[in-house]
Amino acid sequence: NAGVMQNPRHLVRRRGQEARLRCSPMKGHSHVYWYRQLPEEGLKFMVYLQKENIIDESGMPKERFSAEFPKEGPSILRIQQVVRGDSAAYFCASSPWGWGNQPQHFGDGTRLSIL
Amino acid sequence: AQKITQTQPGMFVQEKEAVTLDCTYDTSDQSYGLFWYKQPSSGEMIFLIYQGSYDEQNATEGRYSLNFQKARKSANLVISASQLGDSAMYFCAMRGQAGGTSYGKLTFGQGTILTVHP
């Protein structure tokens, strides 16, 4: 049973470009979460999605960031007009439901570097 | 709002000894879950152990156990018989109850770097 798949593993962008990060959840998981980790810090929640719906986007910056989880295909975290401060590791996690004792299973992350 | 505090930025332990990593939390939810994750230098996040707020017994998973003291709002991770491969960053996290404002998402602490010496 494949785990959470994130790609690319590393992404380099110049300031002003767009970054697209992809996440395929574990088989059978319909709940997807995105987190951001700055160097030497813990993970910070960004957005929680369930198929075709955004459940909680309280951690998403109001501008330039968006996320989707379409009926078919992976979840996408999109960052428009990237700035240096967007450099971080972005982790996707999935779970079969959003509560209870089921842990969130994480992908290996995408390391985004902004030149 | 939920908050996780890990007060130990770094811990050192001798191989084969036990070590306790501290975690305290704050929440207004009546029902919640506490998790520990390990992040090795390679960067991935590995789930270790879970404790539910209504679980009467402390959780155990192999060499990992969770010392849950609800009244003190603490959920310390105990690693027994430390191994060199245990050297990593360890994160405590919590998730709120269904229907609450913290539903679904995990709130993480700042982490503790554990170094195991041979």
Side-chain angles (χ1 to χ4, degrees):
Chain A
N1 191 13
V4 178
M5 304 299 292
Q6 285 189 253
N7 66 82
R9 188 74 192 270
H10 300 275
L11 182 61
V12 179
R13 285 288 178 266
R14 296 190 181 278
R15 282 177 294 170
Q17 292 184 322
E18 178 179 287
R20 281 188 179 233
L21 288 62
R22 293 175 181 76
C23 169
S24 296
M26 284 182 70
K27 187 176 181 181
H29 288 191
S30 60
H31 297 250
V32 166
Y33 316 82
W34 286 93
Y35 296 86
R36 178 164 62 178
Q37 184 180 30
L38 296 172
E40 310 301 325
E41 292 190 10
L43 278 70
K44 298 281 194 260
F45 168 77
M46 298 182 75
V47 62
Y48 166 23
L49 309 105
Q50 199 179 354
K51 280 291 186 182
E52 299 184 276
N53 291 308
I54 295 176
I55 307 300
D56 181 355
E57 57 181 349
S58 59
M60 286 275 272
K62 293 289 185 279
E63 297 179 349
R64 302 188 298 108
F65 286 73
S66 62
E68 62 176 8
F69 188 17
K71 187 176 181 181
E72 301 290 338
S75 175
I76 305 288
L77 179 67
R78 182 183 179 204
I79 311 173
Q80 295 178 290
Q81 299 174 347
V82 296
V83 300
R84 288 256 169 88
D86 297 333
S87 294
Y90 292 83
F91 286 91
C92 169
S94 73
S95 64
W97 47 78
W99 53 275
N101 64 353
Q102 289 295 318
Q104 293 179 12
H105 296 270
F106 283 78
D108 287 344
T110 293
R111 274 80 184 160
L112 176 63
S113 299
I114 309 302
L115 301 179
Chain B
Q2 299 185 327
K3 185 177 181 182
I4 296 283
T5 302
Q6 295 180 253
T7 57
Q8 305 156 315
M11 289 286 287
F12 296 88
V13 65
Q14 207 71 26
E15 195 178 8
K16 298 180 185 177
E17 292 186 348
V19 63
T20 297
L21 306 184
D22 294 341
C23 171
T24 57
Y25 62 90
D26 191 22
T27 181
S28 56
D29 287 343
Q30 294 300 311
S31 175
Y32 48 88
L34 294 153
F35 301 81
W36 278 90
Y37 284 85
K38 171 184 178 181
Q39 187 176 41
S41 57
S42 49
E44 70 269 31
M45 294 287 288
I46 302 167
F47 166 70
L48 296 178
I49 196 167
Y50 164 85
Q51 179 82 44
S53 58
Y54 287 111
D55 293 343
E56 294 186 352
Q57 292 198 335
N58 287 341
T60 60
E61 287 287 347
R63 294 186 298 111
Y64 304 108
S65 60
L66 203 152
N67 184 1
F68 181 47
Q69 298 186 47
K70 194 170 182 178
R72 293 186 176 184
K73 294 189 175 181
S74 73
N76 298 339
L77 177 70
V78 181
I79 305 174
S80 63
S82 296
Q83 302 172 354
L84 296 178
D86 293 335
S87 293
M89 176 78 91
Y90 289 80
F91 290 103
C92 180
M94 91 183 303
R95 180 170 65 197
Q97 64 191 10
T101 57
S102 300
Y103 167 66
K105 63 188 177 187
L106 289 173
T107 300
F108 283 85
Q110 290 291 94
T112 296
I113 299 175
L114 176 66
T115 303
V116 181
H117 289 303

